[in-house]
Structures are given as structure tokens and as C-alpha cells.
Amino acid sequence: MPSLGELERAVMDVLWAASTPLTAREVQDGLGSRELATTTVLTVLGRLERKALVTRTRDGRAHHYRPVASREDHVAELMRDALDGAPDRGAVLARFLGSIPPDERAALRDLLG
């Protein structure tokens, strides 16, 4: 799973929050206070497309972008990749469980039970 830079993550956050595919201009507007040129946003969207994180469809002269997977699916894949790289998955899981708040541990127990 490819990692995301700060700007790539911000663009993905905009796309994940949207209920429909967005144009580069709409993504740019969704980034709010960031002063970015549309060409910069297009470059980031192109990078995300090459990383297979977004898809692009043409609608007239504009392209619309949407995430390939949900934010939850993306994070779950990152977690799987991290575990796959660990020589002792059990130790990693134990450290992870020890680092999260009790209410999240309880939620995990509920999901597993």
C-alpha cells in the first residue's frame, strides 16, 4: 500500500468526505485555507491515480475523481501491511492493544466476540 504525503492525505480527505466524484477545482475548494494552484491539485490527483488510490472519469471537458476505496478500507490495508512486515505479529498486536484506550480495546473485544 503506497504511503501518502501531507498534501496527498489532505486531497484524499476531501475526496473521502465527498458523496460524489469531484473535479480538481472542487477538490481545490475543499482544501480550504491552502493556497494551491489548480495545476498543483491536478498533479497530486495524478499521483494518487498512479498509486491506484483514485479513479478518474471524463465528463465533458472536466475529469471527476473519486477514491477507489473508503478511508476505513485504506487504513485497514495500511494496518495489514504493517503487520505483514513484522517478524512477530503477536508482539506487534500486543503493543498496539496496550497503546489504545480501554474503550477501544473493549470495542475490539466486542468485534471479535
Side-chain angles (χ1 to χ4, degrees):
M1 172 64 54
S3 62
L4 297 176
E6 180 185 342
L7 187 52
E8 290 173 327
R9 189 174 329 158
V11 167
M12 288 303 298
D13 285 340
V14 171
L15 291 170
W16 279 321
S19 58
T20 60
L22 300 176
T23 64
R25 173 64 89 167
E26 290 167 330
V27 171
Q28 182 181 14
D29 292 344
L31 292 169
S33 63
R34 293 177 182 259
E35 296 294 323
L36 298 172
T38 304
T39 54
T40 301
V41 175
L42 284 166
T43 298
V44 172
L45 287 165
R47 248 188 249 137
L48 292 169
E49 186 178 16
R50 284 188 298 282
K51 290 180 177 185
L53 295 172
V54 301
T55 59
R56 172 179 65 156
T57 55
R58 190 169 187 89
D59 183 15
R61 293 184 63 204
H63 286 101
H64 286 81
Y65 298 85
R66 68 172 180 77
V68 169
S70 70
R71 179 191 321 261
E72 295 77 13
D73 289 336
H74 177 71
V75 171
E77 183 67 27
L78 290 173
M79 293 169 72
R80 277 191 299 277
D81 285 351
L83 282 174
D84 288 346
D88 186 349
R89 291 171 71 112
V92 172
L93 286 169
R95 290 270 173 103
F96 174 71
L97 290 173
S99 71
I100 62 175
D103 61 323
E104 290 179 7
R105 282 196 300 273
L108 280 173
R109 270 193 296 279
D110 290 345
L111 288 169
L112 292 170

